[in-house]
Amino acid sequence: MPSTMEVKCESDDCELDMFENHYTYDLPDDHAVTDLTCPYCGGTDLSEIEV
């Protein structure tokens, strides 16, 4: 099963509560939530949701 990462946008102006990335390929070891942008507002104030 591919790895996933659940992410929350922390922007007060964003209406997206969370999104999930599904990875189907090998990621670099230094890949982190800071490499992503919000698909709704384009913001970069994101945090990973630990489940």
Side-chain angles (χ1 to χ4, degrees), residues 1 5 7-8 11-12 17 19-21 23 28-29 31 33-35 37-38 40-41 46-47 49 51:
M1 176 180 233
M5 178 190 294
V7 181
K8 177 182 179 182
S11 173
D12 292 335
D17 59 349
F19 62 95
E20 185 173 87
N21 277 355
Y23 299 104
D29 291 337
H31 178 74
V33 71
T34 55
D35 298 320
T37 58
C38 177
Y40 185 81
C41 72
L46 306 174
S47 62
I49 299 171
V51 284

